[in-house]
């Protein structure tokens, strides 16, 4: 029997959904009526915004799918075995495991979160999360294609993979002492990170298979909905920056050492491109040399507008700052060396 | 809540009472809307307005995965502990569905001269035609783009200088240019529109003032590579409809 109090809450719930739906309809009608084609910047914004999300949402869903599968179908004992690896090997192993995960960087965030909840050492999960977008074969292949015929092909491809791997491990090393509770942000309501998350409705009267399937779809939609809203915010910011900040704005510093590398990192942050295709954009900045282009390719998959917002929602405050500092420093130093060796 | 019986002993109808959980309804709405938008892109053939041909596979994949997610959530929409919708979760879902509305409500469009003024020019020599490709067959804008970036490519283009070409693109005006000149622009998209880079050729000999920015045209004429530019001395320029695939793929 449901108490009257529960009924009232349920009633109130649908009211909010109703307001939201009305707001969406009003927005759609406004778009239709005030055709933004008349305002070039606005149309540009919506095109970039839409395309970023059309590209990213399937990968978020894939990441949520893998994350849900890990939660429901992979026993905790597997992760316990992984922590038996000798300590110095754990981070490199986690980094290399990233090569097996050819998903846009947004997809690796929910998976990393799930791995941490399941018991994988947090620093290893973070190394995996940062290394996957740089080491996966699709990204390496597209980097090769983008630089084919240029004399900086191999410094770029190997530099990206090698430096990316090292920087990912550096971040993992820096946060190595943090526990799951210190690292992960609670999702709304819970007082602590659970050992593994239950769907509140799984009851002992359901058959085990049904519970697993229900739980799987519960986690899938939970992760999708959670990540999705932050991805939309990130895409809004990235689209606005792309619309209003011309790419040529950094052209003036192309010749200045160190500043040019930082400028390319800043551009990678603003553009928020998928690591599968950013090599072509980096290659277009010919005036920036090996160091600058490499910085774009190493920094971008680990830190950008979209990811910043996803990290902020997934990890505790301070994590994003740590990542930015370590990745900036590591990329800067690495790229300066490569510039000296190959520039 | 009934506590009679065990999992093995009960038939589905005899289990503890379940009712539709509002929060799961909202999840279904989010998943279903995105599934709908991907199916819409497929059916209305609008994928090429957002994605490169290299990444177009993402749309049918997304459509199928999201449909599966939606159905899976729909089939498990009942719960013994239904959770109500909070204001925060409603707006969160609203945010997720917002892009769906923009894609559905906006008329089909592609990046134009505004974007061209803000984006870099394509410079990657590697993917496009090799010098061998440039040496034979019809010249395309991709040949031009790639050719200018490598020594062999430039040589191959110079070999063919003066030949007749047919290029389709949209008009971009250079502020300081004479009235009978404009830039013919096309975007190259590797993954999604967010990474678009432009390819430009300078069209000369155009009827002054006849063509406005963002109009799609087909230019026929002789081409001449000149330093970093390619000039097309036009013999004929006609307005055309925006192509179904407005973006080129490297």
């Amino acid at each position: 029997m449901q108490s009257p109090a529960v009924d009232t809450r349920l009633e109130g719930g649908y009211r909010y959904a109703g307001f939201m739906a009305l707001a969406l309809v009003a927005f759609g009608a406004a778009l239709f009526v005030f055709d933004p084609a008349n305002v070039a910047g606005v149309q540009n914004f919506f095109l970039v915004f839409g395309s970023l999300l059309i590209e990213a949402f399937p990968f978020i869903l894939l990441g949520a799918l893998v994350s849900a599968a890990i939660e429901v179908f992979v026993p905790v004992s597997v992760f316990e075995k992984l922590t038996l690896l000798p300590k110095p090997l754990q981070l490199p192993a986690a980094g290399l495991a990233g090569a097996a995960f050819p998903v846009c960087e947004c997809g690796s965030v929910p998976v990393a979160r799930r791995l941490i909840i399941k018991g994988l050492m947090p620093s290893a999960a973070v190394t995996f999360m940062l290394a996957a977008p740089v080491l996966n074969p699709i990204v390496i292949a597209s980097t090769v294609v983008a630089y084919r015929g240029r004399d900086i092909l191999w410094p770029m491809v190997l530099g990206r993979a090698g430096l990316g791997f090292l920087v990912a491990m550096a971040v993992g090393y820096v946060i190595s002492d943090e526990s799951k509770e210190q690292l992960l942000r609670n999702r709304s309501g819970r007082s602590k990170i659970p050992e593994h998350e239950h769907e509140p409705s799984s009851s002992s009267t359901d058959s085990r298979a049904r519970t697993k399937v229900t739980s799987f779809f519960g986690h899938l939609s939970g992760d999708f909905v959670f990540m999705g809203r932050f991805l939309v915010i990130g895409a809004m910011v990235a689209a606005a920056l792309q619309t209003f900040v011309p790419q040529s704005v950094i052209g003036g510093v192309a010749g200045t050492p160190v500043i040019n590398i930082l400028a390319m990192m800043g551009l990678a942050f603003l553009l928020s491109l998928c690591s599968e295709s950013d090599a072509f954009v980096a290659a277009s900045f010919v005036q920036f040399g090996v160091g600058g282009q490499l910085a774009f390719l190493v920094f971008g998959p680990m830190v950008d507008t979209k990811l910043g917002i996803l990290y902020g929602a997934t990890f505790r405050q301070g994590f994003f700052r740590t990542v930015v500092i370590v990745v900036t420093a590591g990329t800067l130093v690495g790229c300066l060396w490569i510039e000296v060796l190959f520039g | 809540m009934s506590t009679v019986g065990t999992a093995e002993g009960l038939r589905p109808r005899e289990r503890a009472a379940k009712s539709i959980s509002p929060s799961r309804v909202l999840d279904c709405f989010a998943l279903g809307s995105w599934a709908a938008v991907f199916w819409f892109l497929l059916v209305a053939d609008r994928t090429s307005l957002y994605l490169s041909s290299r990444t177009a596979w993402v749309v049918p994949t997304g459509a199928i995965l999201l449909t599966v997610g939606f159905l899976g959530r729909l089939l498990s929409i009942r719960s013994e502990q239904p959770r109500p919708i909070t204001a925060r979760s409603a707006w969160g879902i609203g945010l997720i569905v917002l892009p769906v509305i923009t894609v559905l409500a906006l008329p089909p469009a592609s990046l134009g001269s505004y974007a061209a003024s803000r984006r870099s020019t394509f410079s990657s020599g590697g993917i496009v035609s090799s010098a061998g490709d440039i040496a034979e067959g019809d010249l395309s804008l991709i040949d031009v783009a790639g050719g200018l970036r490598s020594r062999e490519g430039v040589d191959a283009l110079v070999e063919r200088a003066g030949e007749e070409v047919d290029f389709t693109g949209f008009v971009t005006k250079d502020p300081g240019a004479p009235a009978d000149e404009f830039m013919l622009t096309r975007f190259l998209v590797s993954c999604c529109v967010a990474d678009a880079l432009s390819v430009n050729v300078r069209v000369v000999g155009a009827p002054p003032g006849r063509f406005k920015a963002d109009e799609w045209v087909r230019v026929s004429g002789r081409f001449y590579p000149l330093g970093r530019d390619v000039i097309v001395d036009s013999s004929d320029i006609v307005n055309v409809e925006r192509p179904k695939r407005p973006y080129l793929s490297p």
Side-chain angles (χ1 to χ4, degrees), chain A residues 2 13 20 28 32 36 43-44 53 58 61 145-146 148 199-201 203 206 221 225 242-243 247 277 280, chain B residues 15 19 24 58 65 73 79-81 85 90 96 106 111 114 118-120 124 126-127 190-191 194-195:
Chain A
Q2 288 176 344
M20 177 267 288
F32 201 69
Q43 181 181 76
N44 197 54
L53 293 170
L61 194 75
V145 170
R148 198 151 38 112
E199 270 291 296
S201 64
S203 83
D206 280 348
S221 54
V225 159
Q242 282 209 18
T243 300
Q247 290 182 9
S277 68
F280 300 105
Chain B
R15 281 203 298 266
S19 58
R24 295 186 187 188
V58 152
L65 288 179
R73 202 47 172 161
S79 163
E80 284 154 22
Q81 295 165 24
I85 298 169
I96 293 178
L106 284 176
L111 293 183
Y114 179 92
R118 270 155 165 62
R119 292 179 167 274
S120 308
S124 175
I127 13 168
S190 325
C191 178
D195 63 56

CSV table of all heavy atoms in Angstrom, one decimal, chain A residues 2 13 20 28 32 36 43-44 53 58 61 145-146 148 199-201 203 206 221 225 242-243 247 277 280, chain B residues 15 19 24 58 65 73 79-81 85 90 96 106 111 114 118-120 124 126-127 190-191 194-195:
chain,number,residue,atom,x,y,z
A,2,GLN,N,0.5,2.2,-0.8
A,2,GLN,CA,1.3,3.4,-0.9
A,2,GLN,C,0.6,4.5,0.0
A,2,GLN,O,-0.6,4.7,-0.1
A,2,GLN,CB,1.5,3.9,-2.3
A,2,GLN,CG,2.5,3.0,-3.1
A,2,GLN,CD,2.6,3.4,-4.5
A,2,GLN,OE1,1.8,4.2,-5.0
A,2,GLN,NE2,3.6,2.9,-5.1
A,13,GLY,N,6.3,15.1,-8.9
A,13,GLY,CA,7.3,14.8,-9.8
A,13,GLY,C,6.9,15.0,-11.2
A,13,GLY,O,7.7,15.6,-12.0
A,20,MET,N,9.3,21.1,-17.7
A,20,MET,CA,10.5,20.9,-18.6
A,20,MET,C,10.1,20.7,-20.0
A,20,MET,O,10.6,21.3,-20.9
A,20,MET,CB,11.3,19.8,-18.0
A,20,MET,CG,12.5,19.4,-18.8
A,20,MET,SD,12.2,18.1,-20.0
A,20,MET,CE,12.0,16.6,-19.0
A,28,GLY,N,11.8,25.0,-29.0
A,28,GLY,CA,11.8,24.5,-30.3
A,28,GLY,C,11.0,25.4,-31.2
A,28,GLY,O,11.4,25.7,-32.4
A,32,PHE,N,12.2,27.6,-34.5
A,32,PHE,CA,11.5,27.4,-35.8
A,32,PHE,C,11.1,28.7,-36.4
A,32,PHE,O,11.2,29.0,-37.6
A,32,PHE,CB,10.3,26.5,-35.6
A,32,PHE,CG,9.9,25.8,-36.9
A,32,PHE,CD1,10.6,24.9,-37.5
A,32,PHE,CD2,8.7,26.2,-37.4
A,32,PHE,CE1,10.2,24.3,-38.6
A,32,PHE,CE2,8.2,25.6,-38.6
A,32,PHE,CZ,9.0,24.6,-39.2
A,36,PRO,N,17.4,31.0,-37.1
A,36,PRO,CA,18.7,31.6,-36.7
A,36,PRO,C,19.7,31.7,-37.9
A,36,PRO,O,20.8,32.2,-37.8
A,36,PRO,CB,19.4,30.6,-35.7
A,36,PRO,CG,18.4,29.5,-35.5
A,36,PRO,CD,17.2,29.7,-36.5
A,43,GLN,N,23.6,30.5,-35.9
A,43,GLN,CA,23.5,29.2,-36.7
A,43,GLN,C,24.8,28.4,-36.6
A,43,GLN,O,24.8,27.2,-36.4
A,43,GLN,CB,23.3,29.6,-38.2
A,43,GLN,CG,23.1,28.3,-39.0
A,43,GLN,CD,22.9,28.6,-40.4
A,43,GLN,OE1,23.8,29.0,-41.1
A,43,GLN,NE2,21.7,28.5,-40.9
A,44,ASN,N,25.9,29.1,-36.6
A,44,ASN,CA,27.2,28.5,-36.5
A,44,ASN,C,27.3,27.7,-35.1
A,44,ASN,O,27.7,26.6,-35.1
A,44,ASN,CB,28.3,29.6,-36.5
A,44,ASN,CG,29.7,29.0,-36.8
A,44,ASN,OD1,29.9,28.3,-37.8
A,44,ASN,ND2,30.6,29.3,-35.9
A,53,LEU,N,27.7,16.9,-30.2
A,53,LEU,CA,26.9,15.9,-29.4
A,53,LEU,C,26.5,14.7,-30.2
A,53,LEU,O,26.5,13.6,-29.7
A,53,LEU,CB,25.7,16.6,-28.8
A,53,LEU,CG,26.1,17.7,-27.8
A,53,LEU,CD1,24.9,18.5,-27.4
A,53,LEU,CD2,26.7,17.0,-26.5
A,58,PRO,N,26.9,8.7,-28.9
A,58,PRO,CA,27.0,7.3,-29.0
A,58,PRO,C,28.2,6.7,-28.2
A,58,PRO,O,28.2,5.6,-27.7
A,58,PRO,CB,27.3,7.1,-30.5
A,58,PRO,CG,26.6,8.2,-31.2
A,58,PRO,CD,26.9,9.4,-30.2
A,61,LEU,N,27.3,6.6,-24.6
A,61,LEU,CA,26.4,5.4,-24.4
A,61,LEU,C,27.3,4.1,-24.4
A,61,LEU,O,27.1,3.2,-23.6
A,61,LEU,CB,25.4,5.3,-25.5
A,61,LEU,CG,24.3,4.3,-25.0
A,61,LEU,CD1,23.4,4.9,-24.0
A,61,LEU,CD2,23.4,3.8,-26.2
A,145,VAL,N,47.8,9.2,-40.6
A,145,VAL,CA,47.2,9.7,-41.8
A,145,VAL,C,47.3,11.2,-41.9
A,145,VAL,O,47.7,11.7,-43.0
A,145,VAL,CB,45.7,9.2,-41.9
A,145,VAL,CG1,45.0,9.9,-43.0
A,145,VAL,CG2,45.6,7.7,-42.1
A,146,ALA,N,47.1,11.9,-40.9
A,146,ALA,CA,47.2,13.3,-40.9
A,146,ALA,C,48.5,13.9,-41.2
A,146,ALA,O,48.7,14.9,-41.8
A,146,ALA,CB,46.7,13.9,-39.6
A,148,ARG,N,51.0,12.1,-42.8
A,148,ARG,CA,51.7,11.3,-43.9
A,148,ARG,C,52.3,12.2,-44.9
A,148,ARG,O,51.7,13.2,-45.3
A,148,ARG,CB,50.7,10.4,-44.6
A,148,ARG,CG,51.3,9.3,-45.4
A,148,ARG,CD,50.4,8.0,-45.4
A,148,ARG,NE,49.1,8.4,-45.6
A,148,ARG,CZ,48.4,8.1,-46.7
A,148,ARG,NH1,49.0,7.5,-47.7
A,148,ARG,NH2,47.1,8.4,-46.8
A,199,GLU,N,20.6,-1.1,-7.6
A,199,GLU,CA,19.4,-0.5,-8.0
A,199,GLU,C,18.4,-0.7,-6.9
A,199,GLU,O,18.2,-1.8,-6.5
A,199,GLU,CB,18.9,-1.1,-9.3
A,199,GLU,CG,19.4,-0.5,-10.5
A,199,GLU,CD,18.8,0.9,-10.7
A,199,GLU,OE1,17.6,1.0,-10.9
A,199,GLU,OE2,19.6,1.9,-10.7
A,200,PRO,N,17.8,0.3,-6.3
A,200,PRO,CA,17.0,0.2,-5.1
A,200,PRO,C,15.9,-0.8,-5.3
A,200,PRO,O,15.4,-1.4,-4.3
A,200,PRO,CB,16.5,1.6,-4.8
A,200,PRO,CG,16.7,2.4,-6.0
A,200,PRO,CD,17.8,1.7,-6.8
A,201,SER,N,15.5,-1.1,-6.5
A,201,SER,CA,14.3,-1.9,-6.6
A,201,SER,C,14.6,-3.4,-6.8
A,201,SER,O,13.7,-4.2,-6.9
A,201,SER,CB,13.5,-1.5,-7.9
A,201,SER,OG,14.3,-1.7,-9.0
A,203,SER,N,14.9,-6.8,-5.8
A,203,SER,CA,14.5,-7.5,-4.6
A,203,SER,C,14.8,-8.9,-4.6
A,203,SER,O,15.0,-9.5,-5.7
A,203,SER,CB,13.0,-7.2,-4.4
A,203,SER,OG,12.3,-8.2,-5.1
A,206,ASP,N,13.0,-11.4,-7.2
A,206,ASP,CA,13.2,-11.5,-8.6
A,206,ASP,C,14.2,-12.6,-8.9
A,206,ASP,O,15.0,-12.9,-8.1
A,206,ASP,CB,13.9,-10.2,-9.2
A,206,ASP,CG,12.9,-9.1,-9.3
A,206,ASP,OD1,11.7,-9.4,-9.3
A,206,ASP,OD2,13.3,-7.9,-9.5
A,221,SER,N,21.3,3.5,-18.0
A,221,SER,CA,20.6,4.8,-18.2
A,221,SER,C,21.1,5.8,-17.1
A,221,SER,O,21.2,7.0,-17.4
A,221,SER,CB,19.1,4.6,-18.1
A,221,SER,OG,18.7,3.9,-16.9
A,225,VAL,N,22.5,9.3,-18.4
A,225,VAL,CA,21.8,10.6,-18.0
A,225,VAL,C,22.7,11.5,-17.2
A,225,VAL,O,22.7,12.7,-17.3
A,225,VAL,CB,20.5,10.2,-17.2
A,225,VAL,CG1,20.1,11.3,-16.3
A,225,VAL,CG2,19.4,9.7,-18.1
A,242,GLN,N,34.2,28.2,-30.1
A,242,GLN,CA,34.5,28.0,-31.5
A,242,GLN,C,33.8,29.1,-32.3
A,242,GLN,O,34.3,29.5,-33.4
A,242,GLN,CB,34.0,26.7,-32.0
A,242,GLN,CG,34.9,25.6,-31.5
A,242,GLN,CD,34.9,24.4,-32.5
A,242,GLN,OE1,34.4,24.6,-33.7
A,242,GLN,NE2,35.3,23.3,-32.1
A,243,THR,N,32.6,29.5,-31.9
A,243,THR,CA,31.9,30.5,-32.7
A,243,THR,C,32.5,31.9,-32.6
A,243,THR,O,32.5,32.7,-33.5
A,243,THR,CB,30.4,30.5,-32.3
A,243,THR,OG1,29.9,29.2,-32.5
A,243,THR,CG2,29.6,31.5,-33.1
A,247,GLN,N,40.2,31.1,-34.7
A,247,GLN,CA,41.4,30.2,-34.5
A,247,GLN,C,42.7,31.0,-34.8
A,247,GLN,O,43.7,30.6,-34.3
A,247,GLN,CB,41.3,29.0,-35.4
A,247,GLN,CG,40.2,28.1,-35.0
A,247,GLN,CD,40.2,26.8,-35.8
A,247,GLN,OE1,41.0,26.5,-36.6
A,247,GLN,NE2,39.1,26.0,-35.6
A,277,SER,N,40.2,12.8,-34.4
A,277,SER,CA,40.3,13.6,-35.6
A,277,SER,C,41.1,14.9,-35.3
A,277,SER,O,41.3,15.6,-36.3
A,277,SER,CB,38.9,14.0,-36.0
A,277,SER,OG,38.4,14.9,-35.0
A,280,PHE,N,44.2,16.2,-37.7
A,280,PHE,CA,44.1,17.0,-38.9
A,280,PHE,C,44.1,18.5,-38.6
A,280,PHE,O,44.6,19.3,-39.3
A,280,PHE,CB,42.8,16.6,-39.7
A,280,PHE,CG,42.9,15.2,-40.1
A,280,PHE,CD1,42.1,14.3,-39.4
A,280,PHE,CD2,43.7,14.7,-41.1
A,280,PHE,CE1,42.1,12.9,-39.8
A,280,PHE,CE2,43.7,13.4,-41.5
A,280,PHE,CZ,42.9,12.5,-40.8
B,15,ARG,N,4.5,-11.6,-7.5
B,15,ARG,CA,5.6,-10.9,-6.8
B,15,ARG,C,5.0,-9.7,-6.1
B,15,ARG,O,3.9,-9.2,-6.4
B,15,ARG,CB,6.6,-10.5,-7.8
B,15,ARG,CG,7.6,-11.7,-8.1
B,15,ARG,CD,8.9,-11.1,-8.6
B,15,ARG,NE,8.6,-10.3,-9.9
B,15,ARG,CZ,8.8,-10.8,-11.1
B,15,ARG,NH1,9.1,-12.1,-11.2
B,15,ARG,NH2,8.6,-10.1,-12.1
B,19,SER,N,5.1,-0.5,-9.2
B,19,SER,CA,4.4,0.5,-10.0
B,19,SER,C,5.4,1.2,-10.8
B,19,SER,O,6.6,1.2,-10.6
B,19,SER,CB,3.6,1.4,-9.1
B,19,SER,OG,4.5,2.0,-8.2
B,24,ARG,N,12.2,6.6,-13.8
B,24,ARG,CA,12.5,5.8,-15.0
B,24,ARG,C,11.8,6.2,-16.2
B,24,ARG,O,12.3,6.0,-17.3
B,24,ARG,CB,12.2,4.3,-14.6
B,24,ARG,CG,13.1,3.8,-13.5
B,24,ARG,CD,12.9,2.3,-13.3
B,24,ARG,NE,13.6,1.9,-12.1
B,24,ARG,CZ,13.8,0.6,-11.8
B,24,ARG,NH1,13.2,-0.4,-12.5
B,24,ARG,NH2,14.4,0.3,-10.7
B,58,VAL,N,28.7,6.3,-36.8
B,58,VAL,CA,28.3,6.6,-35.4
B,58,VAL,C,26.7,6.8,-35.3
B,58,VAL,O,26.1,6.4,-34.3
B,58,VAL,CB,29.0,7.9,-35.0
B,58,VAL,CG1,28.2,8.7,-34.0
B,58,VAL,CG2,30.3,7.6,-34.4
B,65,LEU,N,21.9,1.4,-30.4
B,65,LEU,CA,22.3,1.3,-29.0
B,65,LEU,C,21.3,2.0,-28.1
B,65,LEU,O,20.8,1.6,-27.1
B,65,LEU,CB,23.7,1.9,-28.7
B,65,LEU,CG,24.9,1.0,-29.2
B,65,LEU,CD1,26.2,1.8,-28.9
B,65,LEU,CD2,24.8,-0.3,-28.6
B,73,ARG,N,15.1,0.0,-20.7
B,73,ARG,CA,14.6,0.8,-19.5
B,73,ARG,C,13.1,0.8,-19.5
B,73,ARG,O,12.5,0.7,-18.4
B,73,ARG,CB,15.1,2.3,-19.7
B,73,ARG,CG,15.1,3.0,-18.4
B,73,ARG,CD,15.7,2.2,-17.3
B,73,ARG,NE,15.9,3.0,-16.1
B,73,ARG,CZ,16.1,2.4,-14.9
B,73,ARG,NH1,16.1,1.1,-14.8
B,73,ARG,NH2,16.4,3.1,-13.8
B,79,SER,N,8.8,-0.5,-10.6
B,79,SER,CA,9.8,-0.8,-9.5
B,79,SER,C,9.0,-0.9,-8.3
B,79,SER,O,7.9,-0.4,-8.1
B,79,SER,CB,10.7,0.4,-9.5
B,79,SER,OG,11.4,0.5,-8.2
B,80,GLU,N,9.6,-1.6,-7.3
B,80,GLU,CA,8.9,-1.7,-6.0
B,80,GLU,C,9.1,-0.5,-5.2
B,80,GLU,O,8.4,-0.2,-4.2
B,80,GLU,CB,9.5,-3.0,-5.3
B,80,GLU,CG,8.9,-4.3,-5.8
B,80,GLU,CD,9.9,-5.4,-5.5
B,80,GLU,OE1,10.7,-5.3,-4.6
B,80,GLU,OE2,9.8,-6.4,-6.2
B,81,GLN,N,10.2,0.3,-5.5
B,81,GLN,CA,10.4,1.6,-4.8
B,81,GLN,C,10.5,2.7,-5.8
B,81,GLN,O,11.6,3.1,-6.1
B,81,GLN,CB,11.7,1.5,-4.0
B,81,GLN,CG,11.7,0.5,-2.9
B,81,GLN,CD,13.1,0.2,-2.4
B,81,GLN,OE1,14.0,1.0,-2.5
B,81,GLN,NE2,13.3,-1.0,-1.8
B,85,ILE,N,10.2,12.3,-9.5
B,85,ILE,CA,11.1,13.2,-10.3
B,85,ILE,C,11.3,14.4,-9.4
B,85,ILE,O,10.4,15.1,-8.9
B,85,ILE,CB,10.3,13.6,-11.6
B,85,ILE,CG1,10.1,12.4,-12.4
B,85,ILE,CG2,11.1,14.6,-12.3
B,85,ILE,CD1,9.2,12.6,-13.6
B,90,ALA,N,14.5,16.8,-13.4
B,90,ALA,CA,13.8,17.2,-14.6
B,90,ALA,C,14.5,18.1,-15.5
B,90,ALA,O,14.6,18.0,-16.7
B,90,ALA,CB,12.4,17.8,-14.2
B,96,ILE,N,19.6,17.4,-21.5
B,96,ILE,CA,20.0,16.3,-22.4
B,96,ILE,C,19.1,16.3,-23.6
B,96,ILE,O,19.6,16.1,-24.7
B,96,ILE,CB,19.9,15.0,-21.7
B,96,ILE,CG1,20.9,14.8,-20.6
B,96,ILE,CG2,20.0,13.8,-22.7
B,96,ILE,CD1,20.8,13.5,-19.8
B,106,LEU,N,15.7,23.0,-36.3
B,106,LEU,CA,16.4,23.9,-37.2
B,106,LEU,C,16.3,23.3,-38.6
B,106,LEU,O,16.5,22.1,-38.9
B,106,LEU,CB,17.9,24.0,-36.8
B,106,LEU,CG,18.2,24.8,-35.6
B,106,LEU,CD1,19.7,24.8,-35.3
B,106,LEU,CD2,17.8,26.3,-35.9
B,111,LEU,N,27.9,25.1,-42.5
B,111,LEU,CA,28.8,26.2,-42.1
B,111,LEU,C,29.0,27.1,-43.4
B,111,LEU,O,29.1,26.6,-44.5
B,111,LEU,CB,30.1,25.7,-41.7
B,111,LEU,CG,30.2,24.9,-40.4
B,111,LEU,CD1,31.6,24.5,-40.1
B,111,LEU,CD2,29.6,25.7,-39.2
B,114,TYR,N,30.8,32.9,-42.4
B,114,TYR,CA,31.1,33.3,-41.0
B,114,TYR,C,32.1,32.4,-40.4
B,114,TYR,O,33.1,32.8,-39.8
B,114,TYR,CB,29.8,33.3,-40.1
B,114,TYR,CG,30.0,33.7,-38.7
B,114,TYR,CD1,29.9,35.0,-38.3
B,114,TYR,CD2,30.4,32.7,-37.7
B,114,TYR,CE1,30.1,35.4,-37.0
B,114,TYR,CE2,30.6,33.1,-36.4
B,114,TYR,CZ,30.4,34.4,-36.0
B,114,TYR,OH,30.7,34.7,-34.7
B,118,ARG,N,36.6,32.4,-39.3
B,118,ARG,CA,37.0,32.0,-37.9
B,118,ARG,C,37.9,30.8,-37.9
B,118,ARG,O,38.4,30.4,-36.8
B,118,ARG,CB,35.8,31.9,-37.0
B,118,ARG,CG,35.5,33.1,-36.4
B,118,ARG,CD,34.1,33.2,-35.9
B,118,ARG,NE,34.0,34.4,-35.1
B,118,ARG,CZ,34.2,35.6,-35.4
B,118,ARG,NH1,34.6,35.9,-36.6
B,118,ARG,NH2,34.2,36.6,-34.6
B,119,ARG,N,38.0,30.1,-38.9
B,119,ARG,CA,38.6,28.8,-38.9
B,119,ARG,C,39.9,28.8,-39.7
B,119,ARG,O,40.1,29.6,-40.6
B,119,ARG,CB,37.7,27.7,-39.4
B,119,ARG,CG,36.5,27.5,-38.5
B,119,ARG,CD,35.5,26.5,-38.9
B,119,ARG,NE,34.6,26.1,-37.9
B,119,ARG,CZ,34.9,25.2,-36.9
B,119,ARG,NH1,36.0,24.5,-37.0
B,119,ARG,NH2,34.1,25.0,-35.9
B,120,SER,N,40.7,27.8,-39.4
B,120,SER,CA,42.0,27.7,-40.2
B,120,SER,C,41.8,27.0,-41.5
B,120,SER,O,40.8,26.4,-41.7
B,120,SER,CB,43.0,26.9,-39.3
B,120,SER,OG,43.1,27.5,-38.0
B,124,SER,N,46.9,19.8,-44.2
B,124,SER,CA,47.5,18.5,-44.0
B,124,SER,C,47.8,17.9,-45.4
B,124,SER,O,46.9,17.7,-46.1
B,124,SER,CB,46.6,17.6,-43.2
B,124,SER,OG,47.2,16.3,-43.2
B,126,GLY,N,49.2,15.0,-46.0
B,126,GLY,CA,49.4,13.6,-46.0
B,126,GLY,C,48.2,12.8,-46.6
B,126,GLY,O,48.4,11.9,-47.4
B,127,ILE,N,47.0,13.2,-46.2
B,127,ILE,CA,45.9,12.3,-46.6
B,127,ILE,C,45.4,12.4,-47.9
B,127,ILE,O,44.8,11.6,-48.5
B,127,ILE,CB,44.6,12.8,-45.8
B,127,ILE,CG1,44.8,14.1,-45.2
B,127,ILE,CG2,44.2,11.8,-45.0
B,127,ILE,CD1,43.6,14.5,-44.8
B,190,SER,N,36.9,16.2,-40.8
B,190,SER,CA,37.5,14.8,-40.5
B,190,SER,C,36.6,14.0,-39.7
B,190,SER,O,36.5,12.8,-39.9
B,190,SER,CB,38.8,15.0,-39.8
B,190,SER,OG,39.5,16.1,-40.3
B,191,CYS,N,36.0,14.6,-38.7
B,191,CYS,CA,35.2,13.8,-37.7
B,191,CYS,C,33.8,14.4,-37.6
B,191,CYS,O,32.8,13.8,-38.0
B,191,CYS,CB,35.9,13.8,-36.4
B,191,CYS,SG,35.1,12.9,-35.1
B,194,ALA,N,32.8,20.3,-35.9
B,194,ALA,CA,33.6,21.0,-34.9
B,194,ALA,C,35.1,21.1,-35.4
B,194,ALA,O,35.8,22.0,-35.0
B,194,ALA,CB,33.5,20.4,-33.5
B,195,ASP,N,35.5,20.2,-36.2
B,195,ASP,CA,36.9,20.2,-36.6
B,195,ASP,C,37.0,20.7,-38.1
B,195,ASP,O,38.1,20.5,-38.7
B,195,ASP,CB,37.6,18.8,-36.5
B,195,ASP,CG,37.0,17.8,-37.3
B,195,ASP,OD1,36.9,17.9,-38.6
B,195,ASP,OD2,36.5,16.7,-36.8
